[in-house]
Every structure is written in structure tokens, then in C-alpha cells.
Amino acid sequence: YNGLIPYPDYFTVGPNLRFYHSNKVVGYMAESSTYFAPGRDMSELWTYLNARLMWNITRSSEELIDTFLQRYYGPAAPHIYGYMLAMTQQTQESQ
């Protein structure tokens, strides 16, 4: 693992938390911050998703991502979403 290389796990946060919930996991520590992992890709989004989904696991990950992008990036949100899709696709193709 190299903390300076972006690891696009934005679209896996929701499914992972739902998997833990459905398997009766009672404790989960979501440790992510730009302070602890310099260069972590989209750490603010990752933290937002974890916080919102741990509060209410039934929320839609896609809606939460859209809401975050609109509020955080404003008019640039569609471009940031395109970046997220491109990063995810590149990572999946290289594995």
C-alpha cells in the first residue's frame, strides 16, 4: 500500500457498510483523514459517506455522493464525478 497513490474506493463505502450491518457487525472504526494519510483521494467524501451511512444505513450511497459533490464542489460537481468514474475504471482495469 502506498498512501500517496489515490485509491478510488468511493463507490464501495456503502456496500461495505451494508455488508457489515447485514452480518451483525457491532463495531466499526472508520479511520481516514488527510492528516493521517496525506494524499488520500477524496478523504472528505469518504468521511462524509461513513458518517452518514453509520447514522442511517438505509440511505442511498449514490444520493449521498451527489449531495456531497453538489455542496462541496458546486458547479464543478459533474466534473468531479467524471473524475471519480475515470479513477474507478482505471483501477478496475489495472487489477
Side-chain angles (χ1 to χ4, degrees), residues 74-91:
H79 304 288
I80 300 298
Y81 188 74
Y83 160 81
M84 292 167 58
L85 291 175
M87 289 292 290
T88 300
Q89 181 181 0
Q90 278 293 74
T91 302

Side-chain angles (χ1 to χ4, degrees), residues 33-50:
S33 171
T34 54
Y35 301 109
F36 300 118
R40 175 159 175 56
D41 191 39
M42 307 286 288
S43 63
E44 293 85 359
L45 171 63
W46 195 87
T47 301
Y48 175 84
L49 285 173
N50 271 281

Side-chain angles (χ1 to χ4, degrees), residues 18-83:
R18 286 184 195 87
F19 174 80
Y20 300 148
H21 182 263
S22 69
N23 284 282
K24 311 288 189 245
V25 171
V26 295
Y28 172 75
M29 180 178 167
E31 184 176 31
S32 173
S33 171
T34 54
Y35 301 109
F36 300 118
R40 175 159 175 56
D41 191 39
M42 307 286 288
S43 63
E44 293 85 359
L45 171 63
W46 195 87
T47 301
Y48 175 84
L49 285 173
N50 271 281
R52 294 293 180 169
L53 289 169
M54 284 192 283
W55 188 261
N56 181 356
I57 197 69
T58 63
R59 300 275 312 259
S60 162
S61 301
E62 294 78 16
E63 287 179 19
L64 289 171
I65 289 171
D66 184 56
T67 298
F68 177 86
L69 295 178
Q70 291 297 326
R71 292 179 179 171
Y72 198 82
Y73 294 103
H79 304 288
I80 300 298
Y81 188 74
Y83 160 81

